[in-house]
Amino acid sequence: MSAEPRLGLAGRLAKAFLRSKLTPLIVFASLLLGLMAVVLTPREEEPQIIVPMVDLYVPYPGASPKEVESQVTTPLEKRLWGIPGVEYLYSTSRPGMALVTVRFKVNEPQEPSLVKVHQELAAHPEVLPAGAMKPIVRLQTIDDVPFLTLTLHGEGQTPGQLRRLGEALSRELSTLPDTAQARVIGGARRMVRIEPDPDRLRALNVSLAELQPALQSAEAQLPAGALVDRGRRTTLEATGFILEARELNRLVVAVRNQRPIYLTDVAKVSDGPEPEPPVVMFGERGSLENAVTVTLSKRAGSNATALSHAALKKVEALRGGLLPHALKVDVTRDYGETAGDKSNELIEHLLIATLSVIALIGLAMGWRSAVVVGVAVPVTLALTLLLTYLFGYTLNRVTLFALIFSIGILVDDAIVVVENIHRHMHLPGPRKSFAATVVEAVDEVGNPTILATFAVIAAILPMAFVRGLMGPYMRPIPVGASLAMLFSLAIAFIISPWASLKIFRKEAHLPETDESGLHPGTEENAAPEPGHDHPEAGPEDWGTRAYRRIMHGLLTSGKVRLAFFAGVLALLGGAMALVGTGVVKVKMLPFDNKSEFMVQLDLPAGTPKEDALALGQQVAKRLMREPVVRNVQVYSQEAAPFTFVGMVRHSFLRQDASMVDIQVNLVPKGDRKEQSHAIATRLRPELEKITVPARARMKVVEIPPGPP
């Protein structure tokens, strides 16, 4: 008997885990950890992209846009451009205001980037001219995008009442864990107005300059010493806080002829809603009514789906108490629900793809081979999901697409191993034990399988080094697919041989083990079974015979080879022509079927707010005539809740009286045949019939399928 051949890495792994008690534990532990990762991994609409954007607002009262540009914007740009890590600078010069946006490179740390800007401004105060106020510095992140918006409306509710209810609701929602910010848009804020009377001021010899310090003193609180009595010390404070508006009437603003002059003597004090509030309207089934919108932002890394459910549950609990039954609360944006729906849909597609691959293997190789591969694929996916959770990724359409994308290549390693085990089972010649046959079969294809796996990884992994916004957005695909390939390789050498030993036992008709590795009563160099021309030839089926005939023609006939190459070139040319003729459209990412889009109207500068609002109402009423439109919200002199693309474009600054935002919410995609992009494209000409005569610029803003 010849010496046992030396096993490679694949053979050693298969031999070590073939009968190990740890192997079934690895299978069950991997599946449980994968399920745990699916439950614990946060679900989001889009993947997390770290692109620090720092906004600088510099007030310069009384300056024209040209003066703001020359004295504030340009010097700031020159100074901020030298900060390490800055990639782009954007600026806007307005009357009395400069806005400079500092955008750092992708994956620059956020807090250190903000500190760099603060340090640069503090170290060079001479950059700002005299008269410019202290800059306001604000960091913008993807988590600032509201993931949940609730619109409050109802017949008979005034803007002031809606504002109070919205503020009360936002205070309640801000107490939820993982809530970063709750904000109210629209409605009339409560305001105490002080209107000085010029005639009374002259009659009592009081100037306007005396009113401001008197009003500031009404908000003062100063220490007034301490009182010690009966061994106890009490700290005293002099407080002048005004708690009610009517208390301002008795505020002393001056003293003339030893007589106090009260605020009510020289001014009119009123407590009520602001006189010209921004307008928010909710439209459904053709009618528009006053509304306010409450927006909710989440903390970084939190689960949008769970937080959305908690917020809506709290809203229901407040019904009948803080929120009257007559008040309507419509969910006008819920990225938690859409993120959960997309994750569930992609997980469902992941299961369908897995079952389809297993069924195909069952048809081609038999049910036993399908079961072996059916064990390997879920274990691979479970371990990949676990590492996705440990690496800090979230469950979103990109990470799950990476797994669906890699399903086809995940099964390759297991198929190669199982097919070779199956082939060795039916080889003629010496009848070795089944365990030795499995190890030998795995070892035989081990090195080629390792090489093929790393060749696939080498083709996919470079995508992880793409720069710009697209890099971190698409990075889960190469990272997830590469990890899945490595796991599939290890599982093909560890789990698949163990499963084959259990499942192929009856089909093999061989003893599981033997000291010599041979079947009793046989010899190692026994003659092969009759009827085969090659010692490793098995019985031929129709597929093998067809393949043999095709390959024989290609190898022996020059005309057949030329025809084959001509056919390949023709197919290649036809495929390339599909792109050149426009039959197949080429783009980086396909349009997503969203449930919302926005219409932005920019009227000529100086247009009255009433005219801009009237045009917005006309557009909203036209949109509501569409069966696919669920509801609309009109925002005048106030920006609509922004999206990711709106954060990058700073659409939250659209607060001019000549600007109107119309948020359009569509019916669920299961209740309509058209995609959201097709709907927006179809409605654009119809809306232009309304906006073009009014000399308004109209923009139909869709949420892009990738980073903006």
Side-chain angles (χ1 to χ4, degrees):
M1 297 178 65
S2 61
E4 183 179 352
R6 184 178 179 183
L7 298 175
L9 174 62
R12 292 198 300 270
L13 284 174
K15 187 175 182 180
F17 287 93
L18 192 63
R19 296 186 174 282
S20 175
K21 303 294 184 183
L22 293 176
T23 309
L25 291 178
I26 292 174
V27 173
F28 290 112
S30 300
L31 295 175
L32 290 176
L33 289 173
L35 291 174
M36 181 192 72
V38 171
V39 174
L40 295 180
T41 305
R43 301 189 178 194
E44 291 184 313
E45 180 81 6
E46 304 287 352
Q48 288 284 329
I49 303 178
I50 301 176
V51 187
M53 297 178 63
V54 181
D55 290 339
L56 278 77
Y57 302 88
V58 185
Y60 192 15
S64 66
K66 267 191 175 179
E67 293 172 333
V68 171
E69 181 184 11
S70 62
Q71 299 185 38
V72 179
T73 306
T74 302
L76 269 180
E77 287 179 336
K78 292 179 179 178
R79 175 55 56 185
L80 296 173
W81 184 250
I83 298 177
V86 172
E87 188 172 19
Y88 297 106
L89 281 176
Y90 312 99
S91 63
T92 302
S93 299
R94 298 180 176 182
M97 171 71 72
L99 168 62
V100 180
T101 300
V102 185
R103 178 175 147 186
F104 287 80
K105 294 178 181 177
V106 177
N107 288 331
E108 285 284 325
Q110 293 181 351
E111 286 76 12
S113 300
L114 181 62
V115 171
K116 289 178 184 178
V117 176
H118 273 289
Q119 288 178 339
E120 194 71 19
L121 293 174
H124 300 279
E126 73 280 357
V127 173
L128 299 179
M133 301 175 67
K134 185 178 180 181
I136 301 171
V137 184
R138 183 178 300 167
L139 177 67
Q140 302 287 348
T141 68
I142 190 173
D143 291 298
D144 294 328
V145 177
F147 77 98
L148 179 67
T149 63
L150 305 171
T151 301
L152 283 59
H153 62 100
E155 296 181 2
Q157 299 285 346
T158 64
Q161 292 172 331
L162 289 170
R163 180 78 189 190
R164 286 195 295 273
L165 290 171
E167 290 175 345
L169 178 59
S170 68
R171 285 193 296 270
E172 292 293 329
L173 294 178
S174 62
T175 61
L176 292 172
D178 295 328
T179 299
Q181 183 182 14
R183 179 170 171 261
V184 182
I185 300 176
R189 299 174 178 86
R190 182 186 175 188
M191 179 180 292
V192 177
R193 292 175 56 84
I194 300 173
E195 302 177 23
D197 188 333
D199 296 333
R200 292 169 127 185
L201 287 171
R202 282 194 297 268
L204 295 174
N205 194 24
V206 178
S207 66
L208 285 173
E210 292 179 89
L211 294 182
Q212 184 175 355
L215 292 171
Q216 289 177 342
S217 66
E219 296 297 320
Q221 181 168 320
L222 300 173
L227 177 65
V228 179
D229 184 26
R230 299 179 184 179
R232 185 173 182 179
R233 186 176 185 273
T234 304
T235 302
L236 302 179
E237 286 184 344
T239 178
F241 285 133
I242 298 296
L243 301 179
E244 296 182 8
R246 62 184 180 182
E247 296 179 13
L248 285 173
N249 291 325
R250 303 301 297 169
L251 178 67
V252 177
V253 295
V255 177
R256 296 291 185 269
N257 300 324
Q258 298 182 351
R259 174 182 172 274
I261 297 177
Y262 300 101
L263 184 61
T264 188
D265 296 332
V266 295
K268 177 184 177 182
V269 180
S270 59
D271 182 6
E274 57 184 318
E276 295 184 3
V279 176
V280 176
M281 306 191 79
F282 178 86
E284 190 176 31
R285 293 186 295 272
S287 63
L288 287 167
E289 56 186 357
N290 289 327
V292 297
T293 299
V294 179
T295 67
L296 209 63
S297 303
K298 67 180 187 64
R299 295 179 182 176
S302 57
N303 193 326
T305 303
L307 186 54
S308 170
H309 290 165
L312 296 179
K313 186 177 180 181
K314 194 172 189 67
V315 170
E316 289 301 318
L318 295 173
R319 279 290 189 184
L322 181 67
L323 302 177
H325 287 293
L327 182 72
K328 299 176 183 177
V329 181
D330 279 78
V331 180
T332 48
R333 177 189 295 177
D334 190 353
Y335 287 166
E337 180 184 6
T338 56
D341 290 344
K342 284 185 178 180
S343 297
N344 294 335
E345 182 180 0
L346 286 171
I347 290 174
E348 179 183 349
H349 290 171
L350 189 63
L351 294 175
I352 292 174
T354 303
L355 294 176
S356 301
V357 170
I358 293 172
L360 182 62
I361 294 171
L363 290 174
M365 299 173 59
W367 69 269
R368 289 185 173 88
S369 299
V371 171
V372 175
V373 176
V375 172
V377 173
V379 174
T380 304
L381 296 177
L383 290 175
T384 307
L385 287 169
L386 176 63
L387 277 191
T388 299
Y389 168 70
L390 295 177
F391 283 175
Y393 289 119
T394 58
L395 273 186
N396 53 71
R397 57 178 179 164
V398 178
T399 53
L400 289 172
F401 171 76
L403 294 178
I404 297 176
F405 161 76
S406 58
I407 280 288
I409 55 180
L410 286 183
V411 297
D412 287 350
D413 296 342
I415 289 176
V416 169
V417 169
V418 171
E419 192 277 334
N420 206 46
I421 292 173
H422 190 271
R423 186 178 68 87
H424 273 254
M425 285 167 41
H426 295 88
L427 285 179
R431 309 298 290 169
K432 294 185 178 181
S433 67
F434 189 32
T437 302
V438 169
V439 173
E440 181 181 341
V442 174
D443 187 68
E444 184 179 47
V445 296
N447 290 338
T449 305
I450 294 173
L451 181 62
T453 301
F454 279 94
V456 174
I457 293 175
I460 297 174
L461 198 56
M463 191 190 299
F465 302 98
V466 174
R467 300 182 62 186
L469 284 174
M470 189 59 70
Y473 191 88
M474 303 298 291
R475 189 159 296 146
I477 294 179
V479 172
S482 299
L483 288 174
M485 286 298 297
L486 291 175
F487 281 131
S488 71
L489 181 65
I491 288 168
F493 295 157
I494 295 173
I495 306 298
S496 296
W498 167 82
S500 299
L501 185 67
K502 303 295 182 184
I503 296 170
F504 287 128
R505 183 184 306 168
K506 292 184 179 179
E507 184 181 348
H509 302 296
L510 294 173
E512 289 191 15
T513 186
D514 184 66
E515 291 295 332
S516 63
L518 300 175
H519 189 282
T522 64
E523 295 183 7
E524 185 177 3
N525 55 357
E529 294 180 6
H532 302 285
D533 298 330
H534 192 275
E536 291 193 359
E540 289 190 353
D541 55 11
W542 65 271
T544 307
R545 289 191 294 271
Y547 174 77
R548 189 184 297 279
R549 282 196 293 269
I550 294 172
M551 291 306 299
H552 182 268
L554 288 173
L555 294 173
T556 58
S557 174
K559 293 182 179 180
V560 174
R561 284 196 296 271
L562 288 175
F564 174 76
F565 289 133
V568 171
L569 290 175
L571 291 174
L572 179 61
M576 296 173 65
L578 292 176
V579 178
T581 57
V583 176
V584 175
K585 305 295 182 182
V586 178
K587 62 192 306 288
M588 183 65 184
L589 293 171
F591 287 110
D592 195 7
N593 192 10
K594 299 285 188 181
S595 295
E596 62 174 314
F597 64 89
M598 187 180 297
V599 178
Q600 294 179 343
L601 304 178
D602 295 333
L603 281 81
T607 301
K609 170 187 170 182
E610 292 76 14
D611 294 348
L613 178 60
L615 181 63
Q617 289 174 328
Q618 291 181 43
V619 172
K621 289 178 180 178
R622 173 61 186 87
L623 289 167
M624 284 188 287
R625 298 210 311 255
E626 293 291 325
V628 293
V629 174
R630 181 163 55 97
N631 54 54
V632 298
Q633 296 86 54
V634 181
Y635 296 86
S636 174
Q637 208 171 348
E638 185 73 272
F642 59 93
T643 59
F644 183 25
V645 65
M647 183 199 75
V648 176
R649 297 180 179 178
H650 285 56
S651 65
F652 48 81
L653 298 177
R654 295 177 50 83
Q655 299 177 350
D656 193 81
S658 60
M659 298 178 178
V660 178
D661 290 349
I662 303 159
Q663 175 70 32
V664 185
N665 294 320
L666 305 175
V667 298
K669 58 185 179 181
D671 299 337
R672 51 184 163 87
K673 296 180 179 179
E674 288 181 293
Q675 301 278 318
S676 59
H677 176 67
I679 295 172
T681 304
R682 176 174 59 82
L683 289 176
R684 176 184 285 275
E686 297 296 322
L687 299 181
E688 286 178 345
K689 295 177 182 178
I690 303 173
T691 58
V692 170
R695 296 186 299 120
R697 292 179 56 196
M698 183 189 69
K699 291 173 282 188
V700 179
V701 183
E702 300 180 69
I703 300 176

